[in-house]
Amino acid sequence: MAPVEEAKSSRRFNFSAGPAMLPDLVLDKIVEELGDYEGLGMSILEMGHRDAGGPVQQVLQEATDCVRHLLRVPANYAVIWQQGGAHGQFAAVPLNLLGDKTQADYVDTGVWSKRAMNEAGKFCTTRICAEVRERQGKAEVPPVSEWDLSDKSAYVHICANDTISGVEFLEDPDVGDRLLVADFTSTLLSRPVNISRYAALYCSSGKNLGPAGVCLVIVRRDLLDMALPRTPMILHWKASADTSPVASLVNTPPVFAIYACGHVLKGLRRSFGDCGTLDTVRQRVTRRADDVYKIIDESEGFYINKVSSSYRSQTTICFTFGRDAANQREWAGSITAKVKLTELEEAFMKEAKERGMNGLEGHPAFGGIRICLYNGLPDKAVDEAC
Ligand code: PMP
């Protein structure tokens, strides 16, 4: 099962920020197995999660094993699946990691960092320890040596790829002994990750991981005892890690999402070799992103991307039209707000749709164009777009 497989000719290409395209072979497999899972005369959706060693637990275990294998997760980390998406984890992070501290540091690289920080602000004092700055008209993140990290803070949080600003950490920051936490929702499985640099990381599904509905959490085991007593069971990392015979059985797990993610993960593992590294995936991701950025950079200002090359997102590429530069659109300050599209943006989207390309509009609250190159998007889509 290969995520690089060409899509069926009837399929439209989905370049949106998510939910993202799933490989055809994953969809086919789901359809094939839906009515009768492995000849058991039942759908996996109808089977009990308490059946020890049964199909649902096997599905959970296989998906977890794939995550461990693909991301080279060290043995001292727990891999769990929780509900509530990344928004759930925005609250889970402080609840599980504050311990006896009452403060946390956040690196602000865009809307998603702020949203994580605002949610954490319900449980502790939050500080922005670093934020995106502009150098020669391009956005960049200051080096870690310039982050204003506080000894009073329990952890420092980053958004590995801000899906809206298109600012990505292409390397895993080294914050020494401090606890680093990352929201990897829109970038996990696009490159190898040095898991040991993180105290915890999380990735809501709906992008590279598979269909929406579940959030993957990878957390260092020695930190599992730090949760505040008031942490709801559903967001309690240790409670999830400790269920038996497999983890993540605190409540009825979202079986369908985990099962579908499992197929995506197995496909990734098969098509990129069993070597267990994501280096080959990164090569593909970089090649495709380079193709798009080349067009932007060589357009003589027709298209403008405002992120420095060291922090340019390889997955969510955001740009505007040079001719729209004077057309300042004020953000309404809400992620659910909608800005008015410019004529060029409308025309671009219309033409793209006519050519079978969907979801190219930027985030509704910001406008512009956004090209998302998640793993499930076939190479043919990128070639045609370029
Ligand atoms: N973080 C990032 C980087 C995202 O892109 C998104 C969704 N687009 C979220 C968090 C929110 O995820 P969820 O809707 O699953 O809570």
Side-chain angles (χ1 to χ4, degrees):
M1 198 182 299
V4 289
E5 207 74 30
E6 291 307 317
K8 288 179 188 139
S9 57
S10 58
R11 289 261 272 158
R12 296 183 76 86
F13 296 133
N14 171 11
F15 288 88
S16 83
M21 268 183 102
L22 291 167
D24 276 4
L25 283 164
V26 169
L27 291 178
D28 288 348
K29 190 78 183 154
I30 292 172
V31 171
E32 180 196 319
E33 290 181 336
L34 201 58
D36 185 2
Y37 183 72
E38 295 194 341
L40 296 170
M42 280 172 86
S43 156
I44 188 77
L45 309 183
E46 301 158 313
M47 294 182 190
H49 56 290
R50 301 276 168 222
D51 175 13
V56 171
Q57 294 192 1
Q58 279 173 33
V59 160
L60 254 172
Q61 195 56 54
E62 278 172 26
T64 305
D65 290 347
C66 274
V67 168
R68 285 198 169 280
H69 183 90
L70 285 163
L71 285 163
R72 288 256 186 269
V73 179
N76 62 327
Y77 281 74
V79 174
I80 56 180
W81 304 85
Q82 291 199 326
Q83 294 181 53
H87 280 81
Q89 296 305 315
F90 294 164
V93 169
L95 287 166
N96 283 278
L97 283 184
L98 277 174
D100 52 12
K101 295 195 169 161
T102 55
Q103 179 179 290
D105 286 346
Y106 279 76
V107 178
D108 180 3
T109 51
V111 168
W112 290 113
S113 337
K114 287 196 193 72
R115 224 162 147 86
M117 187 172 90
N118 290 343
E119 193 67 1
K122 295 175 182 170
F123 308 100
C124 63
T125 305
T126 53
R127 308 167 64 236
I128 296 182
C129 61
E131 60 193 328
V132 166
R133 65 185 178 198
E134 212 175 287
R135 280 272 162 95
Q136 289 156 354
K138 299 278 184 191
E140 64 169 33
V141 186
V144 178
S145 57
E146 291 177 28
W147 294 5
D148 173 26
L149 298 170
S150 164
D151 288 339
K152 286 193 192 148
S153 292
Y155 61 86
V156 47
H157 180 281
I158 61 168
C159 180
N161 180 61
D162 186 281
T163 322
I164 296 177
S165 67
V167 172
E168 177 173 2
F169 285 89
L170 301 175
E171 308 281 338
D172 304 300
D174 184 355
V175 296
D177 290 340
R178 295 175 197 273
L179 302 185
L180 180 64
V181 182
D183 172 4
F184 264 92
T185 295
S186 56
T187 193
L188 200 74
L189 302 174
S190 68
R191 66 168 173 89
V193 176
N194 186 347
I195 303 284
S196 310
R197 290 253 163 106
Y198 298 92
L201 57 101
Y202 56 95
C203 170
S204 181
S205 62
K207 302 173 196 292
N208 280 337
L209 193 55
V214 70
C215 192
L216 174 71
V217 183
I218 302 176
V219 53
R220 231 172 64 200
R221 286 188 190 279
D222 62 308
L223 303 170
L224 288 174
D225 285 321
M226 290 172 68
L228 299 180
R230 66 172 187 270
T231 306
M233 206 199 296
I234 198 75
L235 293 178
H236 199 292
W237 293 342
K238 185 172 162 55
S240 285
D242 280 354
T243 65
S244 161
V246 294
S248 315
L249 290 182
V250 166
N251 71 325
T252 314
V255 175
F256 186 69
I258 298 170
Y259 154 81
C261 290
H263 275 316
V264 171
L265 288 159
K266 280 191 260 182
L268 202 59
R269 190 168 166 176
R270 266 200 287 275
S271 54
F272 289 105
D274 220 19
C275 58
T277 81
L278 288 166
D279 280 318
T280 330
V281 177
R282 171 158 53 191
Q283 281 165 23
R284 176 180 184 241
V285 166
T286 309
R287 175 172 45 80
R288 301 192 328 167
D290 282 352
D291 284 351
V292 177
Y293 282 122
K294 188 164 183 282
I295 292 177
I296 295 172
D297 292 342
E298 292 181 355
S299 72
E300 296 177 346
F302 185 75
Y303 301 120
I304 299 180
N305 166 272
K306 287 192 159 178
V307 183
S308 120
S309 55
S310 328
Y311 287 93
R312 271 181 165 179
S313 173
Q314 303 296 290
T315 304
T316 56
I317 300 173
C318 306
F319 58 92
T320 51
F321 293 97
R323 267 198 267 158
D324 289 343
N327 178 358
Q328 288 287 339
R329 281 170 299 186
E330 284 305 319
W331 182 42
S334 156
I335 206 165
T336 50
K338 262 191 169 193
V339 295
K340 192 172 159 13
L341 298 185
T342 69
E343 259 174 53
L344 271 175
E345 286 164 358
E346 300 260 22
F348 185 94
M349 249 87 81
K350 184 169 171 284
E351 234 176 88
K353 269 200 185 122
E354 283 163 8
R355 293 174 56 189
M357 301 176 209
N358 278 36
L360 283 155
E361 52 277 13
H363 190 283
F366 293 88
I369 307 289
R370 180 167 53 176
I371 298 191
C372 298
L373 307 175
Y374 295 118
N375 288 341
L377 184 80
D379 285 347
K380 188 166 177 265
V382 187
D383 294 344
E384 278 184 19
C386 293

